[in-house]
Amino acid sequence: MIQFDARVVIALKPGVLDPQGKASADALGGLGFSGVQSVRQGKVMDIELQAADIHAARSDLEAMCDRLLANTVIEDFEIAMLSERVEA
């Protein structure tokens, strides 16, 4: 088996209201950061997993996002494979 480190970024789809992002943008403006035009909030997950190869690892991560990690009705996700190493 191969050990993989992956990063999953989940964000609201364009057009979906983001009240947390709006509140953050407003608060940043209140703190004097007048250049902030907008904020979109999301989440980042770093996941370690074992799989037979990178294709199996990516397939597992996509299934995890589809079934649990992301609400695919309103959220998009991106998967980045950060590293891999062979476990003895």
Side-chain angles (χ1 to χ4, degrees), residues 29-64:
L31 291 172
F33 296 101
S34 60
V36 176
Q37 298 297 302
S38 69
V39 175
R40 298 286 287 175
Q41 291 201 349
K43 49 193 166 186
V44 175
M45 298 180 189
D46 290 334
I47 299 174
E48 298 176 7
L49 73 155
Q50 291 184 332
D53 58 40
I54 194 166
H55 302 293
R58 182 171 286 279
S59 176
D60 285 350
L61 288 162
E62 289 175 358
M64 290 176 204

Side-chain angles (χ1 to χ4, degrees), residues 11-29:
L12 290 170
K13 291 181 176 181
V16 174
L17 294 178
D18 182 1
Q20 289 181 317
K22 174 80 168 87
S24 294
D26 291 347
L28 289 169

Side-chain angles (χ1 to χ4, degrees), residues 1 4 6 11 17-18 23-25 29 32 34 36 48 50 53-54 67-69 71-73 78 82-84 87-88:
M1 296 295 268
F4 293 93
L17 294 178
D18 182 1
S24 294
S34 60
V36 176
E48 298 176 7
Q50 291 184 332
D53 58 40
I54 194 166
R67 295 176 60 190
L68 179 69
L69 302 178
N71 178 349
T72 57
V73 173
E78 293 181 10
L82 303 177
S83 66
E84 65 180 78
E87 295 290 313

